[in-house]
Amino acid sequence: MSAARIFVPADAAALSVGAHEVARAVRAEVERRELDVELVRTGSRGLFWLEPLVELEAPEGRIGFGSLTPDDVPALFDDEVHPKALGRVEELPWLARQERVTFARCGVIDPLDLEDYERHGGLGGLRRALELTPAEIVEAVTESGLRGRGGAGFPAGIKWRTAAATEADARYVVCNADEGDSGTFADRMLMEGDPFLLIEGMVIAGIAIGARQGVIYLRSEYPHAHRKLARALALARAEGLLGASVLGSGQAFDIELRLGAGAYICGEETSLLESLEGKRGQVRAKPPLPAIAGLFGRPTIVHNVLTLAAVPTILAGGAEFYRAFGTGRSRGTMPIQLAGNVRHGGLIELPFGLTLREIVEDYGGGTRTGRPVRAVQVGGPLGAYWPEALFDTPLDYEAFAERGGMVGHGGVVVFDDTVDLARQARFAFQFCAEESCGKCTPCRIGTLRGAETIDRIIQGERVAANLALVEDLCEVLRDGSLCALGGLTPVPVESAIRHFPEDFERAATREAVHGEAIG
Amino acid sequence: MTDWDVGAAFEVVQQHRQKGGLLGALHGLLDAFGYVDPRAIPMVADVFNLTRAEVTGVVSFYKDFRTTPPGRHVLKLCRAEACQAVGCETVAQELETRLGVGADATTADDAVTVETVYCLGNCALGPAALVDGKLYGRVDAPSLLARLGR
Ligand SMILES: Cc1cc2nc3c(=O)[nH]c(=O)nc-3n(C[C@H](O)[C@H](O)[C@H](O)COP(=O)(O)O)c2cc1C
Ligand code: SF4
Ligand code: FES
């Protein structure tokens, strides 16, 4: 009989609240009791408030225990019911209501065990792709309705067709793993919890567009993901998933892992390409599109981690299978990341269409501080601040765009009623100023003026006039920016002013009082 | 990490001599010495066949490439929105009071360098911080100071 198995995550978030210490305690206890137990280090299931979440294999399924400290470990092996037992993990309501497609294996398998990956359905997409012509692969991805998960939501199939159709001596598949948006961690979780899925997706993309080389551009703020990916790539090479003949097909494909260096703008695809070429990450003017002239001038498809990770599912299950999830022009599942001041934060993978209220209240369970929710910011630092009154908006590309926001990479950040939206608006300007690539004056300099102007508003200085100045500045940013960093900074600023005028007027009231005193 | 050494630096940079390898070379210097010493610039420029100005331009563009030696501990505190929502600004203020230095500076005794980062991917368990490369969640100033031996 094989040994019983116990699963302890090695995901960075789980480690940040003590998963290694728990794993060490498990090992010690297993030794002390001389048990025949195998310890498996997994990724995270994404129920972060329960981390470290330990799972024990039982006849009825995997039983969860969380959140554990090393002191809770010995009792795991006693006969009595553990005080932190949660029951079957898959039946936890938070997880049971989700549809895990891209994240089906994350937190379940050993991320560095290729056999485990295959046992759980891995490599099915690539095997199918190897039976198709490149054009048929591109067709399947187009048919699936897959849109980029990095923020812009551009149809993936169109990029692939363009790159494949452009004559060149080399083509590249570039994975954008720069995940710079605050409130997002799905790319990180996937790279740490199921790296072979990303690798499989990149190989399929390479075969489809006729590329022999892939590159992953990973942000340096993710040291854990860096180690996992490096090991997964080495294993993939050793097992013939990468190299001169992918799975013995005669087709060559390999992947290089590169590190960013702490620049948010390098998530923008052309800046990323400059950075990969060893330069300052300055945004390039488009055209030419990267699909025509990208890395070192060659046709390049740049995709977010989650876009590439959806590809194996599309090939294995068929375009129709993937299309069946979602609504309207938002097809497939969307990994939503619930973060900030929230009781139950983590990863929610569901077809598009969940409302903000369902996300924040049903999944999130309100704020961690127990105070009322006042605002959520969706879609990272360039996303809108939403008030309670708009919480019934469904999360899909079009519904969000209609109301002046964006889904972006799917980050939802919750704030309680102590938040000051004037300060958040100021931060949006400051962030843009700090992270600007420097090409456009409004983005580089205008945002500094923006932050100073909001400071004056906060001081109660000529509030109405200064608000008008901010509006003008936003106009200039929208019109005078080459990329979305400058172009979308007005979104958080103006949504804060529009939906939370009281935070700016509070200052105005101070001005009135001040004015009277002088007058 | 070791003290600055031209020979060792050259070894590191050489390993990254390939198309687009400049960032890798600078990361290599960072790993070896904890910073990118300005004395490395002419040598790097030579290896990559670039001007000194070009290399300096790249070094200054990226926040990671600090050009002075860090303290014995490096604390990277996340100051992005999701961590703001759970009080990272208060943590930053308390650290400043206790350590006597603000963001992106090193204490007078060279013990601690405090740096700002925007998001560590731990946004459901904020405030988040990296201490000497190790990630922590739900931090406060006392717990961080304890990890720094203060
Ligand atoms: C300022 C800025 C930052 C961006 N950061 C990221 C990022 O961190 N990750 C990402 O996948 N896309 C990011 N993008 C979007 C990319 O430019 C690009 O649209 C994306 O990588 C394309 O991949 P997709 O089609 O799979 O979404 C950013 C865009 C801008 C303007
Ligand atoms: S808007 Fe800002 S980040 Fe974008 S290209 Fe212009 S200066 Fe660079
Ligand atoms: S915002 Fe702080 S870790 Fe993401």
Side-chain angles (χ1 to χ4, degrees), chain A residues 195 204 245 298 357:
Chain A
I204 297 172
S245 174
R298 307 301 195 288
R357 190 178 307 284

Side-chain angles (χ1 to χ4, degrees), chain A residues 215-218 256-260 275-277, chain B residues 18-21:
Chain A
V215 186
I216 300 173
Y217 185 88
L218 177 71
E256 195 183 334
L257 178 58
R258 293 285 207 84
L259 266 187
S275 187
L276 280 178
E277 292 181 7
Chain B
Q18 53 155 317
K19 227 165 49 160

Side-chain angles (χ1 to χ4, degrees), chain A residues 445-459:
Chain A
I445 307 286
T447 48
L448 282 175
R449 298 290 96 78
E452 291 163 10
T453 311
I454 301 228
D455 277 340
R456 285 192 204 103
I457 293 171
I458 291 172
Q459 301 296 318

Side-chain angles (χ1 to χ4, degrees), chain A residues 287-310:
Chain A
L289 293 170
I292 291 171
L295 187 58
F296 299 114
R298 307 301 195 288
T300 304
I301 55 172
V302 182
H303 277 303
N304 176 252
V305 173
L306 301 180
T307 315
L308 290 162

Side-chain angles (χ1 to χ4, degrees), chain A residues 107-181:
Chain A
V108 177
I109 64 166
D110 175 346
L112 294 175
D113 182 342
L114 196 54
E115 272 176 39
D116 210 9
Y117 178 66
E118 278 199 79
R119 264 197 304 279
H120 286 82
L123 298 186
L126 176 55
R127 294 228 157 82
R128 178 75 190 122
L130 290 170
E131 295 163 6
L132 302 175
T133 63
E136 285 169 333
I137 303 174
V138 174
E139 186 58 24
V141 169
T142 310
E143 278 297 298
S144 74
L146 176 65
R147 291 168 69 173
R149 295 291 188 259
F154 189 79
I158 296 181
K159 274 193 203 173
W160 292 29
R161 198 179 304 153
T162 310
T166 305
E167 280 300 320
D169 60 348
R171 297 188 186 79
Y172 296 104
V173 176
V174 171
C175 171
N176 187 342
D178 201 49
E179 194 165 62
D181 288 1

